[in-house]
Amino acid sequence: MAKETIMVLDTTMRDGEQTPGVAFSADEKLKIARKLDELGVDIIEAGAPMTSPGERKAIKSIANEGLDAEICSYVRGKKSDVDIALDCDVDSVHLVVPTSDLHLKKKLKMTREELKKITVETVRYALDHNLIVELSAEDSTRTDREFLREIFQLGIDEGAQRVCACDTVSMMMPEQIQDLFSYLSKNVKVPLATHCHDDFGVGTANTIAAVRGGAKEVHVTVNGLGERAGNTALEEVVLALTKFYDYKTNLNLEGLYGISRLVENAAGLPVPPTKAVVGDNAFSHEAGIHTHGVLAQPSTYEPVAPEMVGQKRRLVFGKHVGSHAIRSELKKRGLKPTEEQVKEIFRRVKELGDRGKLVTDAEWSTIADEVMGRSLEKIIELEELTVTSGNKITPTASVRLKFKDMDMVEAGVGIGPVDAAINAIQKVVEEVSSIRLEEYHVDAISGGTDAVVEVVVELTDGKRVITSRGSSGDIIMASVQAMLNGVNRLLWDKKLRGS
């Protein structure tokens, strides 16, 4: 029996952008839209055009990009909002009207009859201007069911093509959501959508429950972005529907990790390592019994193959590591350690882990090299670093690095002195390799006026992703050390591979 296809509306660039501190530029929005389209998202809610001229420009550029997805604009129950959306050349409007008595009385100061009149007029106006209309009821889960059905029916009678019930502040649990959607799906004759938030940590569960109750479309955001505790996460819903139920989506699951990283960088909000599906730890294993099991048969400790969502399996070396993982990693690198060498590497890694340290890839590799008598050559060395920063001065850094027999000099600017220094080093590195910085964070800071800061960076050369650490009383030097330690590690490994 063929699986039923569930439509996906992504609202990362509208509801997701309502995350405090998140604001996408027009260029970032266009990049995200292209990636979402490539992923196979059916409907892209590109933004709320009444927000600003910049928002309208961004939405219009997406609408005119020639994407396969339906490009949608958020509007309120106002003809003026529809006019602004029309100026953005969108295909559809997500027309949202509050329906709960709480919202009507306290926010809109409006009666139910007044809301019905506005809803009918706005739906008709949008349809008369050849827009697809998806009518959403805000705060549906605190709305009288019969009135909710009536509002939807009024929109449908005018010609609205889809309707959506919103659990705006997560006021229902999964069994309640499923019951509500079972009722609605029997009483509306157009596709029914679900829009859930994660205030109680059940956004994904509620969305799936709504689908099981009859919803044909899900509203989601990449990485679960959204105000308060966020919206339902796209990556969690589409994978769960595919893995556990007789549903499918039009999305290419292998692109989930890629879109997650793109949105993470644009939003400036790091994805927690423990985030389901796309977090760095989602397919990472450290505990000895787990690494032993996953090496013997991946399904022992992995619900799906990491490649299914564009991820890679990673064995982490720390206080819980087992000797099987160490042997496996050394073998993968073409090394043939003795039993005594394995034991010594095992001991040193455990010792570092017991001190409460994250054992980075570069540190683990250095331990292995030392124990096996392979000295790491510093292929790139810092000769000089100058940083200028201050009030009304653009932070600028200049570096002189020694690469083989050459002195290489570059300068960089940034939003701060650390950013400027890293940008300067990145310019030099780009001249000799394809290594780029993927992630930066401060791992630890000791107390006191003589505090030591530890910086951990994640670097990639396109084939491998490694972590590296730098420590110093100066955060700029700690950052530079972390970068150069990682770059040297990748270049050294590449030299050993002969590639």
Side-chain angles (χ1 to χ4, degrees), residues 9 13 33-34 37 41-47 58-74 85 88-94 131-132 162:
L9 181 150
M13 293 183 286
R34 287 174 184 152
D37 192 58
V41 166
D42 302 288
I43 307 161
I44 298 173
E45 188 172 24
I59 296 170
K60 190 164 187 172
S61 69
I62 292 169
N64 292 316
E65 184 66 13
L67 304 179
D68 292 328
E70 176 187 311
I71 306 304
C72 180
S73 166
Y74 171 89
C88 295
D89 300 334
V90 295
D91 303 309
S92 62
V93 287
H94 178 209
L131 289 167
I132 298 167
R162 303 186 297 264

Side-chain angles (χ1 to χ4, degrees), residues 399-421:
V399 294
R400 181 161 61 88
L401 299 178
K402 192 174 187 65
F403 174 68
K404 296 180 179 178
D405 295 326
M406 298 183 292
D407 275 350
M408 306 183 75
V409 179
E410 277 290 358
V413 297
I415 57 174
V418 171
D419 190 38

